[in-house]
Amino acid sequence: MEHLFIYDERLGIPLPKLEKEWEEYSESEQHAILLHWEKIRGKIPDRIVELEGIINQKQAELGEENDFSKSCILNSEITELASIINDLWIWYRMNQTVSSRMHQ
């Protein structure tokens, strides 16, 4: 099952990379894929909390920083972390819809 999920370095989680159309998988394969995804998906909120902690730390550093160029770097890092969090929430919500449709 792991071959259908590729680790995304930026997001810090494996993402689905299906080799064929969803309907081409058997019902048992679909179930196994969804089960595996739900295990990954369940870790997304923890990953977000981890990234929020890093943002808080960088914001504290930013509040103390007097060097403009270092402040710009910290702002850029904070922006990238916020973008990652946003993408993680998109994956979390988007696949929740797919999963709920499959379980109906």
Side-chain angles (χ1 to χ4, degrees):
M1 190 58 45
E2 283 77 28
H3 70 282
L4 296 177
F5 293 84
I6 305 297
Y7 186 78
D8 185 286
E9 288 288 331
R10 181 175 172 270
L11 299 181
I13 61 167
L15 295 177
K17 179 137 173 82
L18 301 180
E19 298 166 345
K20 51 190 175 181
E21 294 296 318
W22 182 251
E23 296 76 25
E24 295 177 34
Y25 290 98
S26 70
E27 190 174 318
S28 64
E29 288 172 319
Q30 289 178 0
H31 180 73
I33 292 167
L34 285 174
L35 185 61
H36 189 73
W37 170 248
E38 284 301 317
K39 290 178 185 176
I40 295 167
R41 188 176 161 270
K43 296 176 184 177
I44 290 176
D46 293 335
R47 176 74 175 133
I48 290 170
V49 167
E50 175 188 340
L51 295 172
E52 287 173 339
I54 296 169
I55 287 174
N56 291 337
Q57 179 184 14
K58 289 188 180 292
Q59 285 176 327
E61 290 175 40
L62 185 59
E64 307 264 328
E65 187 57 61
N66 294 322
D67 183 300
F68 180 73
S69 62
K70 289 181 183 177
S71 293
C72 290
I73 291 169
L74 284 169
N75 266 322
S76 178
E77 291 171 351
I78 290 167
T79 300
E80 176 60 19
L81 290 166
S83 174
I84 293 168
I85 289 171
N86 186 58
D87 290 348
L88 285 167
W89 277 124
I90 290 169
W91 274 102
Y92 185 78
R93 291 184 184 119
M94 178 179 62
N95 288 292
Q96 180 179 19
T97 305
V98 172
S99 296
S100 65
R101 273 192 280 147
M102 287 303 301
H103 293 295
Q104 290 179 348

